[in-house]
Amino acid sequence: MVEPFLATQLVLGAASFSSPESSAYFSTEAALNIDDASDPLFLISIVPTLIACCVLLFRAFQQLPYHPKFFKNFVQEGPDGCELLSNSKTTRNRSPLLNAFLILSSIGLITQVGAIFLPVRDLTPLPRALTWAVLLLLIAIDRPRTAPLGALFILCGVLSSQLLLLVQISHTLSPVNIHRGCEIVVALLSIGLILCMPLRDPIWESDDISPAYEKPDHQRRSPEDNLTLWQFMSVSWMSSLIAIGSSRQLNDEDVWQLSLEFQHRILHDQFRELGGSVVGRLLVANGLDLVILLCLGVLEAFSNFAGPVLLQQLLRAMENTLAPRSRAVTFAVLSLLVRLVACQSSVFSLWYSRRSYERSRGEMITMLYEKTLSRQIIGESALSNISKPSDEEVESAIPDSNTVIERQGTAGAVYSTFRRFGRSLKRAIWPGPLQQAQKQPASIGKIYNLMRNDVYEVAQRFWEFQTIIRVPLSLVLSIVLVWKLIGWPCLFGIVTVIVAQSVNVLITRILLQYERERRKVTDGKLKKVTQYVGAIRHLRWYGWQDFWQEQIMEARQQELRLFVVTGLWRSTIEVANYLASGLFPVAAFYAYTALAGQPLRIDVAFPALQLFAMLESSLRNVPNLITVLLNANIAVGRIEDFMVEPDKDDAITTSYPRKPGLMLQAASFVWPGTEHYVLRNISLELPLGLTVICGKVAAGKTALLQALLGELEQRGGVVKLPNDVVGYCAQAPWLQSMSIRDNILFISPYEETRYREVLEACALTQDLATFKHGDLSHVGENGIGLSGGQKARVALARAVYSRAKILFLDDPLSALDHQTAGTVVSRCLCGPLTEGRTVLLVTHRTGLCRNVAQQVIEISDGNAHVIDRNTLPMDEGSNAALSAPEDNPKPVEKNAAAADDAAVPEKFIEDENRVHGGVKSAVYWEYIKAGKLRWWAVLILALAIHRLVGLGETWFLKKWGEAYDRPVTSVESTSLFDGLPSPEVDIQPWLLGFFSLAVLQALVFFIGNCIMVVIIYHAGRQMFRDVIIRVSHATFRFYDVTPLGRLMNRLTSDIGTVDGNISQQFEDVAFLAITWISSIVIIASVTPIFLVFSFALTASFVLIFLRFLPTSQSLRRLEMVSLSPLMSNFGALLDGLTTVRAFRAQSSFQDRIIVVTDAFQKMDHFYWSLQAWLMYRFDALSACSTFLLTLLALYTGVSPGLTAFVLVAASGFVDSTHALCKRYGQLQMDFVSVERVVELLHLEQEPPGTIDPPARWPSYTGDIAFEDVSLRYAPHLDPSLTGISFRIPAGSTTALLGRTGSGKSTLALSLLAIMKPESGRILIDNIDISKVNTQALRSRITFLAQEPVLFPGTMRQNLDPLNEHANDACDAVLQRIGGTHNWTLDTEIEAGGNNLSQGQRQLVGLARAILRRSAIVILDEATASIDTETAMQIQAILREELKESTVITIAHRLEAVKDADFFVRLEEGKLKACGPAGEGDGSMDG
């Protein structure tokens, strides 16, 4: 607001920089002769007039019919914005504030007109009179209801110019001074009125906006939408939130909604309307903010460089004994004003930069999510066909000697690191040719990376947009001012910086090479961690977790090793910059004194140091600016590449006049991204009613449904499908972490009657009766709280409940017992709910459907043909299953009603824990211990030496400047450096001493950085290892109640914080504490009264900080908690994208991500608003404190040199007090991540067992006995099994029977000691397994789940990850199980086995079981997704290969258990029957 005044002052100061005499321009004579247009004071007097002219020009510009889009706010209220006026009344009634404003403006005009004629006629006040006339005209025309910013600028110009003129003229009570004083008073009052006026039109509705200073309401918008100008400038509207945060922990309902212009529903809708590239759209959407930031950047640059100018004038005024003390006070006051202007500008800059950052980030997140909803899905196998790196490239990215580092510890790490540190110079000087990587479609991992990294990289540039103008402008200003100060000798200093930056270019090339390697290794580590966490249950069932831990730690060791290398190279760059900043003044002062022969006096030395630092910083920031812009350009390119990827082919779903059924004519399909035909020349008509699709494993059954859904690429032929919703039930049921009812309803409205009919038809009534809260019970992440059969039926119910005329059901019967499957077929697939609908059912249980299917299609090797349904075999008991309803089904109404009456249903997934209050000292201690105490001690010592050397350098410069006034013959040595000769006699010792101190400081700085790298290495390695071990041995209940996204967030983002800047924060806090203490000691030794002042000042900082800290901690924790749902929602979308598209639910999911993004961004937004609140108060207090310290120095009579030294120390004290509070606050914020990591270190651990069993336990002759066993998953849950007692004979094949949800899988898992019995015991070979070492137990028993987990790698690695068997044995098993699929041990498997069908994955799991040949093998629906013929062959192989083992089989198909020797039947968690197979009638049925 006083930018013109600052610009003028800088010009005047720069003009006087070179000669002390030039400061005499501020004379009384000059002030009285301001009618000379060339006089500086005349220029100052017309500044308000110039501002008024600019305001008028801007008003004229606004009236033009067209102006650029970015001059309009992207989201705005009002008739043309997002809200309508509260009523049609638009009259311009004058408010009391406006009336007062008009009166004050009139007084100002009358005062200036009077000054023209009284006491004598004088035209000097004419420009000011014109200024007030323009101001009055603007107010009279606009009659503003909101704060008139143009008028505010004019008034600030008036006030600044008049204050500057007032302090430079004689202070007699003359008419001129009276007029000037009246004008100042009127301007102040007018500014006060404007500050009290609102920024939003008061006639607009504001019921949905929370008033400032009132208790926050989460249902209303932020007070930002309706503030006065002063509330906005001072950020005082945050006080109500701060008051709550100071009294208790904040919750989500304590935080307002986002302001209208931050809400992503509006931003997304308007952003998608923009055309062009991503960058172009972002620039248009945030253009106004960038223009404002540009102006603020110029203002801040001038404000920053005004400091050295005013410091020089202050020191000259003190050196000039003839000048009155008021002159020095004047420059102190000007310094205060400049800092206050910079303070206010910083608040505005933070708000507008955060607005552009948050909006651009939100716009890109919602944009990427929308693109993901529509893009074509391409598997990893397709990606590997597009571009695959060579083995040499992969190996070159992985450093060696990992095990050596692990064994030798720090010594080995340092030795190996420095070897590569030296060898890399050659590669940096002669880099190899860069290969242009071929663009390829984004994998799932890359999409995550775009969301988590690239979006932030681009948005960050909007936050730091000011640097684009501030860096070059600061460079120009600093060169100009340095040249004005010392002339051409500054070029010597500039050369040192240029040389340092040239060296840094070379070092940066080395760093980039290692950074690429580190990122590759980090990606590999994250990939392993993701796979490990996702498959941790299965790995622990097999006892493989320790092997995977070793693999993860090897990857972690590679990452940390490269972190040390990159850390050393970064330290080298930093020390080069630091040394350059130290040698800059050495070289410049050498040229200035030794070559130019000028004396280095106090008024030159200390301002020069400030300018040198600014110039050196600007020179150093230029390459940094280029680097970040290049990185942002790379990120934008990646986002642009993703946005232009092809969308799902909707040509298949083109609309045509509705006719019943579907049709394909000679259609062929390939998987996206490949040319491998999965379906060829398909010609089918799919009529109304049930069509059964069958075929062998991997024949193409699922591919046919995917093709009809448009997920495959069509290569010829015609497909006709109405453009409508498809009720799709995937082979692997996809459920969301919500209630059963919400999963079934999905995007459909709730209809009571239809909903009950669907529950009955899908046989869910009896299951819901067993749940405490019925259909309101939460299912957990991906349905972890349900059995396999229950998940399948909930997914089926979702498809059937929808109003879709087409249902695609991919093998929902495989997980159901025989009776339940028959009930589903008879009531659902043949019932009234599917009448008039086209139903495609993929199943291997064709016998259940042969009598009710309209047609049967067999898929064989990618071809399809219709077969006679009578040729299909009839399942044993299928007629009974189709005709007989369930025995005594339990109605759901009672339990559902009870659930409705319940206050809040229990959540299966627990809410993420948020610690209350500040970060506990124990958390800090955990981190300090991990970094090793000895290294922390060495670091503190290095920091203390660094500070001591820095103080010595400042004192040395002070003695150097004062030595010119010392007699040449003086040899008196009363203090340090007094023994040196006068610089007028011999300058060399002074230059050498200054050079030595600069080099010593840089050396200590480098040592401190290296120690910091060592601390980070130790802390990162130790904490990550401990966390992985604790997570790996946590209770299985922890995995049930903890979402994968939450755990991954802690193992990636929070661990990343531990590896990142947190140690630097620790170092900064320690250094600032040392600086604070040393500054107090120094200043108090010169001005003892400062001690009282320093304690009062520190108390003020601390009180403000303590008011800020609790709220900031709460908001940061809420932000971290709200980030997990954002990533989880994205992960859920990727997992269930096909289902979402089939149901045409894209818009619902887009709305959901917008809500989640709002929730995340609002915590981030108000956290940074709180930072602005703190910054405003700290900066204002710092400015006032520095001013008071300057007055103390002025009025205590110390020398100019000592005053300069004290001012530097005082600045260090104020800045360190300020920075110490901020850094400690930031450290607290960052340590929230450490706190979340430490929480994992205290996870409840699974008891490892107390008995180490014999080596040959369990033997092939040992029975399995359950003795009155009762089990429950958690103490607060109902028992899953109650009073179970039976004995399974050794070597038998046992069929475990029962309805879905009866407890079969629970009983099977109990044999792995997943849950310990709360009563009774389980004996295997006469040993109680609750006491057996769990690792030994699980490694000697094989459990094969229905959905086996496969890992990326070869088939060999999946069959035998621990490499316990020979290749021949693995190959023999593979050929027996999967010989017809042409698999070899080198066949590549994608993560999760995504390049295999569900049946093929089950075959790989069976091969594992046969290869292990454990004494006890448990098969949980291990052949459910395999066709009947292949399943019969597999059963024969199992009986042959596992003839000595005790095999427990959970199967719902009778052919899988018909040859069993023993059976156990469960019902609702209780034993219904058991005994030899065939004992009793119907023992093996259902």
Side-chain angles (χ1 to χ4, degrees):
M1 289 180 287
V2 293
E3 178 183 349
F5 154 66
L6 287 177
T8 305
Q9 179 62 20
L10 271 178
V11 172
L12 299 178
S16 65
F17 236 26
S18 56
S19 62
E21 293 76 16
S22 60
S23 63
Y25 71 85
F26 279 135
S27 64
T28 303
E29 291 76 15
L32 296 176
N33 188 25
I34 60 175
D35 56 345
D36 183 1
S38 63
D39 190 86
L41 296 184
F42 175 76
L43 296 177
I44 293 175
S45 68
I46 66 171
V47 164
T49 308
L50 297 177
I51 296 176
C53 293
C54 292
V55 172
L56 287 176
L57 287 175
F58 184 75
R59 285 293 307 275
F61 174 77
Q62 287 182 314
Q63 304 305 315
L64 294 176
Y66 170 79
H67 42 81
K69 292 181 180 179
F70 55 78
F71 275 95
K72 293 181 61 178
N73 200 347
F74 189 56
V75 175
Q76 58 185 352
E77 287 185 299
D80 299 325
C82 304
E83 287 189 352
L84 297 176
L85 298 177
S86 60
N87 52 55
S88 59
K89 182 178 179 181
T90 58
T91 58
R92 297 175 178 266
N93 295 326
R94 289 200 293 264
S95 66
L97 288 177
L98 181 57
N99 292 330
F101 198 7
L102 282 170
I103 294 172
L104 288 173
S105 301
S106 300
I107 293 174
L109 177 60
I110 293 171
T111 301
Q112 295 309 311
V113 171
I116 296 175
F117 299 100
L118 296 174
V120 294
R121 184 174 181 181
D122 183 10
L123 296 180
T124 302
L126 182 59
R128 298 199 297 275
L130 292 175
T131 302
W132 284 100
V134 170
L135 182 62
L136 185 60
L137 180 65
L138 288 174
I139 298 170
I141 293 175
D142 292 341
R143 283 177 285 176
R145 292 187 295 267
T146 60
L149 299 183
L152 180 65
F153 292 142
I154 295 173
L155 288 168
C156 287
V158 170
L159 180 63
S160 301
S161 63
Q162 293 307 306
L163 282 174
L164 186 59
L165 292 172
L166 185 64
V167 297
Q168 295 305 324
I169 64 175
S170 60
H171 298 118
T172 60
L173 195 63
S174 64
V176 173
N177 287 348
I178 292 174
H179 288 148
R180 186 166 284 118
C182 291
E183 188 175 10
I184 290 174
V185 172
V186 171
L188 278 172
L189 292 175
S190 300
I191 290 173
L193 286 176
I194 293 177
L195 293 178
C196 295
M197 295 181 72
L199 294 172
R200 180 179 184 269
D201 198 324
I203 71 170
W204 293 351
E205 291 182 351
S206 58
D207 292 340
D208 59 340
I209 302 175
S210 183
Y213 310 128
E214 290 190 7
K215 183 179 179 180
D217 184 351
H218 71 284
Q219 296 180 340
R220 303 169 81 181
R221 281 155 43 196
S222 164
E224 290 166 290
D225 280 344
N226 193 17
L227 296 174
T228 65
L229 181 58
W230 171 248
Q231 290 168 346
F232 176 66
M233 291 172 59
S234 62
V235 206
S236 58
W237 57 273
M238 284 289 295
S239 59
S240 57
L241 188 65
I242 294 173
I244 296 177
S246 301
S247 60
R248 61 174 175 82
Q249 182 85 355
L250 289 178
N251 297 309
D252 185 70
E253 57 270 17
D254 295 320
V255 184
W256 304 285
Q257 292 182 10
L258 281 170
S259 169
L260 184 75
E261 53 195 11
F262 288 90
Q263 292 181 4
H264 293 87
R265 175 76 275 167
I266 303 170
L267 289 173
H268 175 69
D269 291 343
Q270 296 195 199
F271 189 74
R272 67 189 307 191
E273 295 294 327
L274 301 176
S277 64
V278 174
V279 172
R281 294 158 66 189
L282 289 172
L283 289 176
V284 171
N286 300 281
L288 180 61
D289 290 342
L290 301 184
V291 172
I292 294 173
L293 289 171
L294 195 67
C295 299
L296 291 173
V298 174
L299 175 60
E300 288 181 35
F302 276 97
S303 300
N304 292 334
F305 283 94
V309 175
L310 296 172
L311 176 62
Q312 188 199 34
Q313 297 299 321
L314 173 65
L315 294 175
R316 284 182 177 175
M318 293 182 64
E319 285 184 327
N320 187 358
T321 56
L322 299 179
R325 183 177 292 172
S326 61
R327 187 176 303 281
V329 174
T330 298
F331 287 110
V333 172
L334 289 176
S335 298
L336 171 65
L337 293 177
V338 167
R339 292 195 63 172
L340 290 177
V341 169
C343 164
Q344 190 63 71
S345 177
S346 298
V347 172
F348 290 153
S349 296
L350 179 60
W351 195 87
Y352 284 106
S353 61
R354 284 298 304 180
R355 184 169 78 169
S356 61
Y357 168 78
E358 291 171 23
R359 296 206 304 193
S360 59
R361 180 175 64 177
E363 287 157 356
M364 285 187 286
I365 287 175
T366 55
M367 175 189 71
L368 290 176
Y369 197 87
E370 185 177 47
K371 176 65 179 180
T372 305
L373 283 166
S374 63
R375 72 184 284 270
Q376 201 173 56
I377 301 175
I378 298 180
E380 293 183 12
S381 58
L383 295 179
S384 63
N385 293 332
I386 296 173
S387 176
K388 185 176 180 179
S390 64
D391 294 337
E392 291 80 4
E393 291 173 326
V394 174
E395 280 191 23
S396 66
I398 302 177
D400 52 4
S401 307
N402 301 308
T403 55
V404 174
I405 297 176
E406 186 67 26
R407 289 196 303 267
Q408 296 180 350
T410 306
V414 172
Y415 171 73
S416 179
T417 295
F418 274 98
R419 282 179 57 198
R420 291 192 65 142
F421 187 75
R423 286 195 318 231
S424 56
L425 285 171
K426 181 178 179 180
R427 289 193 334 192
I429 298 173
W430 295 286
L434 294 176
Q435 298 181 355
Q436 183 67 32
Q438 182 180 355
K439 292 182 179 180
Q440 58 185 26
S443 64
I444 292 178
K446 183 178 180 180
I447 297 174
Y448 269 115
N449 202 21
L450 290 174
M451 184 74 73
R452 298 184 61 171
N453 296 322
D454 293 294
V455 163
Y456 283 77
E457 182 71 35
V458 176
Q460 190 76 14
R461 304 290 75 80
F462 285 87
W463 189 357
E464 300 169 353
F465 176 78
Q466 275 189 322
T467 58
I468 297 176
I469 181 63
R470 195 167 56 206
V471 168
L473 180 61
S474 298
L475 181 61
V476 172
L477 285 176
S478 56
I479 290 175
V480 170
L481 293 178
V482 169
W483 188 280
K484 285 288 184 180
L485 182 62
I486 65 174
W488 59 265
C490 69
L491 296 177
F492 280 71
I494 294 175
V495 168
T496 62
V497 177
I498 294 175
V499 170
Q501 294 305 312
S502 301
V503 173
N504 280 346
V505 169
L506 177 65
I507 300 175
T508 301
R509 297 182 71 174
I510 303 173
L511 175 62
L512 288 177
Q513 292 178 8
Y514 280 109
E515 189 64 30
R516 291 191 197 101
E517 293 183 12
R518 188 186 68 82
R519 291 191 179 191
K520 289 178 183 177
V521 173
T522 299
D523 288 344
K525 183 209 72 175
L526 290 178
K527 187 176 181 180
K528 288 182 181 294
V529 172
T530 303
Q531 294 161 0
Y532 179 71
V533 172
I536 192 166
R537 289 185 183 86
H538 295 259
L539 292 173
R540 291 184 65 181
W541 292 343
Y542 280 96
W544 289 348
Q545 74 278 357
D546 292 339
F547 172 77
W548 269 78
Q549 279 179 225
E550 293 176 4
Q551 286 191 319
I552 291 174
M553 289 311 303
E554 286 177 6
R556 174 65 170 171
Q557 189 62 39
Q558 294 171 4
E559 178 188 35
L560 287 175
R561 186 176 181 278
L562 284 172
F563 177 83
V564 171
V565 174
T566 55
L568 288 175
W569 282 117
R570 284 196 181 91
S571 297
T572 305
I573 293 174
E574 290 176 3
V575 78
N577 289 330
Y578 199 90
L579 186 61
S581 65
L583 295 182
F584 189 117
V586 172
F589 289 162
Y590 165 76
Y592 186 73
T593 56
L595 301 182
Q598 297 290 329
L600 186 65
R601 297 190 178 275
I602 296 297
D603 63 336
V604 173
F606 284 93
L609 278 183
Q610 288 189 356
L611 290 174
F612 290 161
M614 293 179 177
L615 176 57
E616 188 271 334
S617 175
S618 300
L619 287 171
R620 190 170 67 241
N621 285 334
V622 169
N624 291 343
L625 177 62
I626 295 173
T627 301
V628 297
L629 290 177
L630 289 175
N631 289 338
N633 183 59
I634 293 172
V636 166
R638 286 160 53 88
I639 294 174
E640 293 277 13
D641 291 342
F642 178 72
M643 292 302 297
V644 298
E645 286 187 15
D647 289 340
K648 183 173 77 75
D649 187 5
D650 287 332
I652 294 177
T653 60
T654 52
S655 183
Y656 72 97
R658 288 202 176 182
K659 296 187 297 184
L662 315 171
M663 185 180 69
L664 299 91
Q665 294 180 349
S668 298
F669 301 91
V670 299
W671 290 110
T674 71
E675 293 301 324
H676 173 67
Y677 281 84
V678 65
L679 295 172
R680 300 180 187 87
N681 199 30
I682 304 294
S683 295
L684 294 171
E685 288 189 10
L686 306 173
L688 292 178
L690 177 63
T691 296
V692 173
I693 302 173
C694 60
K696 290 190 174 183
V697 173
K701 304 180 295 298
T702 298
L704 178 60
L705 299 186
Q706 296 283 317
L708 291 172
L709 289 172
E711 300 293 347
L712 304 189
E713 291 184 5
Q714 188 176 350
R715 291 287 190 268
V718 177
V719 179
K720 292 185 177 179
L721 177 68
N723 188 15
D724 203 351
V725 174
V726 175
Y728 178 61
C729 177
Q731 186 174 22
W734 174 72
L735 301 180
Q736 302 176 83
S737 182
M738 51 182 60
S739 69
I740 295 173
R741 177 185 292 184
D742 289 336
N743 270 285
I744 294 175
L745 298 180
F746 200 41
I747 59 172
S748 302
Y750 179 70
E751 300 176 27
E752 177 77 19
T753 302
R754 180 178 179 81
Y755 180 72
R756 301 301 175 191
E757 291 173 352
V758 169
L759 294 181
E760 290 286 348
C762 295
L764 284 168
T765 306
Q766 187 172 345
D767 297 271
L768 296 181
T770 64
F771 295 139
K772 181 178 180 181
H773 295 286
D775 61 347
L776 296 183
S777 301
H778 283 254
V779 302
E781 190 172 41
N782 204 23
I784 189 65
L786 304 178
S787 69
Q790 289 168 339
K791 287 195 290 185
R793 283 177 289 136
V794 170
L796 174 64
R798 176 175 57 203
V800 174
Y801 181 80
S802 70
R803 291 292 182 176
K805 295 298 182 182
I806 302 170
L807 303 181
F808 291 169
L809 312 178
D810 195 352
D811 205 12
L813 304 179
S814 62
L816 307 184
D817 63 89
H818 200 70
Q819 181 179 350
T820 304
T823 301
V824 168
V825 171
S826 62
R827 294 184 177 180
C828 180
L829 303 182
C830 303
L833 288 171
T834 55
E835 287 182 2
R837 305 168 90 170
T838 301
V839 182
L840 272 65
L841 173 67
V842 173
T843 185
H844 295 299
R845 304 175 76 169
T846 53
L848 284 172
C849 310
R850 54 167 286 178
N851 293 333
V852 296
Q854 295 295 319
Q855 69 175 353
V856 178
I857 299 173
E858 183 178 28
I859 306 293
S860 178
D861 296 328
N863 297 305
H865 54 278
V866 178
I867 63 174
D868 184 358
R869 66 181 185 178
N870 293 321
T871 62
L872 297 175
M874 176 70 73
D875 273 8
E876 194 174 319
S878 61
N879 288 330
L882 291 176
S883 58
E886 295 180 47
D887 295 332
N888 302 321
K890 295 186 179 180
V892 72
E893 285 79 359
K894 181 177 179 181
N895 278 349
D900 288 333
D901 294 337
V904 179
E906 293 178 5
K907 292 183 178 180
F908 193 89
I909 299 295
E910 295 178 352
D911 291 332
E912 188 164 7
N913 179 50
R914 286 193 297 123
V915 179
H916 292 236
V919 177
K920 302 297 187 293
S921 58
V923 176
Y924 291 103
W925 183 241
E926 288 282 354
Y927 184 79
I928 292 172
K929 285 192 301 182
K932 307 300 181 186
L933 295 177
R934 62 179 181 275
W935 292 112
W936 285 107
V938 175
L939 177 64
I940 297 299
L941 178 63
L943 295 177
I945 295 174
H946 181 271
R947 174 59 178 164
L948 185 63
V949 174
L951 289 173
E953 189 177 35
T954 306
W955 184 259
F956 182 86
L957 196 61
K958 175 255 183 189
K959 300 299 290 185
W960 187 352
E962 291 180 339
Y964 288 97
D965 300 326
R966 194 173 59 198
V968 175
T969 58
S970 174
V971 295
E972 181 183 359
S973 178
T974 59
S975 63
L976 190 63
F977 308 127
D978 284 345
L980 294 176
S982 172
E984 295 175 338
V985 176
D986 187 4
I987 197 66
Q988 297 300 326
W990 295 95
L991 290 172
L992 183 61
F994 198 48
F995 171 80
S996 301
L997 288 171
V999 172
L1000 178 59
Q1001 195 170 20
L1003 178 62
V1004 175
F1005 176 80
F1006 180 71
I1007 293 173
N1009 277 3
C1010 291
I1011 295 171
M1012 199 75 258
V1013 170
V1014 173
I1015 290 174
I1016 295 174
Y1017 171 81
H1018 279 293
R1021 183 179 64 173
Q1022 187 66 43
M1023 295 196 78
F1024 185 82
R1025 176 188 295 278
D1026 293 345
V1027 164
I1028 287 294
I1029 291 174
R1030 300 293 292 187
V1031 170
S1032 300
H1033 295 88
T1035 62
F1036 280 83
R1037 179 65 182 170
F1038 170 74
Y1039 309 136
D1040 293 339
V1041 300
T1042 305
L1044 177 62
R1046 182 189 302 172
L1047 186 55
M1048 283 302 302
N1049 192 25
R1050 297 201 180 194
L1051 292 176
T1052 55
S1053 299
D1054 292 330
I1055 287 290
T1057 303
V1058 173
D1059 291 345
N1061 203 36
I1062 197 164
S1063 294
Q1064 184 64 48
Q1065 299 285 359
F1066 239 127
E1067 181 182 9
D1068 290 346
V1069 168
F1071 181 72
L1072 289 169
I1074 294 172
T1075 302
W1076 184 83
I1077 295 171
S1078 60
S1079 298
I1080 287 182
V1081 172
I1082 291 169
I1083 302 175
S1085 65
V1086 178
T1087 54
I1089 194 175
F1090 172 76
L1091 276 177
V1092 178
F1093 174 77
S1094 64
F1095 291 133
L1097 177 62
T1098 302
S1100 301
F1101 274 112
V1102 171
L1103 288 175
I1104 294 173
F1105 177 71
L1106 291 178
R1107 186 164 175 78
F1108 153 86
L1109 186 60
T1111 307
S1112 66
Q1113 290 173 330
S1114 293
L1115 288 172
R1116 177 49 64 92
R1117 288 184 176 122
L1118 284 170
E1119 176 191 344
M1120 290 185 171
V1121 169
S1122 62
L1123 178 61
S1124 295
L1126 179 63
M1127 304 311 299
S1128 296
N1129 270 275
F1130 198 75
L1133 170 67
L1134 294 175
D1135 292 338
L1137 185 55
T1138 303
T1139 302
V1140 172
R1141 288 172 172 173
F1143 279 88
R1144 301 290 193 270
Q1146 292 97 320
S1147 60
S1148 297
F1149 274 75
Q1150 186 69 34
D1151 293 341
R1152 182 185 302 178
I1153 201 65
I1154 286 173
V1155 171
V1156 173
T1157 305
D1158 274 346
F1160 160 66
Q1161 292 256 87
K1162 80 172 184 179
M1163 301 305 173
D1164 190 39
H1165 172 75
F1166 293 118
Y1167 170 77
W1168 282 101
S1169 297
L1170 189 63
Q1171 288 285 350
W1173 179 90
L1174 179 72
M1175 182 175 68
Y1176 179 79
R1177 282 146 185 81
F1178 267 19
D1179 288 352
L1181 185 58
S1182 297
C1184 296
S1185 302
T1186 304
F1187 172 69
L1188 293 176
L1189 287 171
T1190 305
L1191 294 183
L1192 280 176
L1194 289 175
Y1195 285 93
T1196 50
V1198 297
S1199 67
L1202 195 56
T1203 298
F1205 181 73
V1206 169
L1207 288 179
V1208 171
S1211 177
F1213 167 76
V1214 174
D1215 292 343
S1216 61
T1217 307
H1218 179 173
L1220 186 60
C1221 290
K1222 291 186 69 175
R1223 290 295 187 189
Y1224 177 70
Q1226 187 61 47
L1227 185 68
Q1228 284 261 322
M1229 299 304 102
D1230 289 345
F1231 255 81
V1232 172
S1233 292
V1234 180
E1235 180 180 69
R1236 288 155 57 86
V1237 172
V1238 170
E1239 282 182 15
L1240 295 180
L1241 297 179
H1242 297 91
L1243 289 178
E1244 182 184 357
Q1245 298 291 282
E1246 180 185 52
T1250 58
I1251 297 177
D1252 289 325
R1256 298 185 63 84
W1257 179 91
S1259 66
Y1260 289 100
T1261 58
D1263 293 347
I1264 300 173
F1266 280 70
E1267 298 179 352
D1268 194 25
V1269 173
S1270 294
L1271 290 168
R1272 68 175 79 218
Y1273 282 93
H1276 66 283
L1277 298 179
D1278 295 331
S1280 300
L1281 295 176
T1282 305
I1284 303 295
S1285 297
F1286 62 84
R1287 178 178 292 272
I1288 297 177
S1292 65
T1293 298
T1294 299
L1296 190 53
L1297 307 174
R1299 192 180 181 276
T1300 57
S1302 59
K1304 302 185 297 297
S1305 295
T1306 301
L1307 188 146
L1309 288 172
S1310 69
L1311 293 173
L1312 298 175
I1314 303 302
M1315 299 158 288
K1316 301 298 173 66
E1318 65 175 5
S1319 64
R1321 59 177 185 164
I1322 304 172
L1323 303 177
I1324 295 179
D1325 202 3
N1326 296 318
I1327 295 180
D1328 186 348
I1329 65 172
S1330 65
K1331 301 177 182 178
V1332 173
N1333 182 287
T1334 53
Q1335 178 64 21
L1337 172 67
R1338 293 164 191 165
S1339 61
R1340 300 179 193 184
I1341 295 177
T1342 297
F1343 178 84
L1344 184 56
Q1346 181 177 351
E1347 298 179 9
V1349 172
L1350 303 184
F1351 313 105
T1354 64
M1355 182 69 75
R1356 172 73 171 81
Q1357 292 169 335
N1358 273 275
L1359 290 178
D1360 182 25
L1362 274 59
N1363 202 25
E1364 296 175 333
H1365 304 277
N1367 287 341
D1368 292 342
C1370 295
D1371 188 60
V1373 170
L1374 183 63
Q1375 296 309 316
R1376 291 212 66 183
I1377 292 293
T1380 59
H1381 298 280
N1382 299 319
W1383 289 335
T1384 67
L1385 295 181
D1386 296 325
T1387 299
E1388 287 293 327
I1389 305 296
E1390 291 181 7
N1394 290 336
N1395 57 334
L1396 303 179
S1397 70
Q1398 179 71 9
Q1400 288 176 315
R1401 293 197 286 270
Q1402 289 195 333
L1403 290 177
V1404 176
L1406 289 165
R1408 280 178 183 166
I1410 294 175
L1411 187 63
R1412 284 167 63 105
R1413 287 185 172 83
S1414 302
I1416 298 174
V1417 178
I1418 307 166
L1419 306 178
D1420 188 357
E1421 286 292 338
T1423 60
S1425 299
I1426 301 174
D1427 62 280
T1428 303
E1429 181 180 348
T1430 304
M1432 296 299 292
Q1433 297 172 0
I1434 294 298
Q1435 291 299 326
I1437 295 172
L1438 290 175
R1439 284 192 294 271
E1440 179 181 346
E1441 296 288 345
L1442 303 176
K1443 57 186 177 183
E1444 296 182 352
S1445 302
T1446 302
V1447 179
I1448 301 174
T1449 302
I1450 302 174
H1452 297 138
R1453 293 198 309 206
L1454 295 183
E1455 64 271 11
V1457 295
K1458 66 179 182 180
D1459 294 327
D1461 308 314
F1462 195 84
F1463 82 96
V1464 175
R1465 182 184 300 281
L1466 299 178
E1467 183 176 303
E1468 296 184 1
K1470 298 179 180 180
L1471 182 65
K1472 185 177 182 180
C1474 65
E1479 183 179 283
D1481 294 334
S1483 62
M1484 298 298 293
D1485 293 342

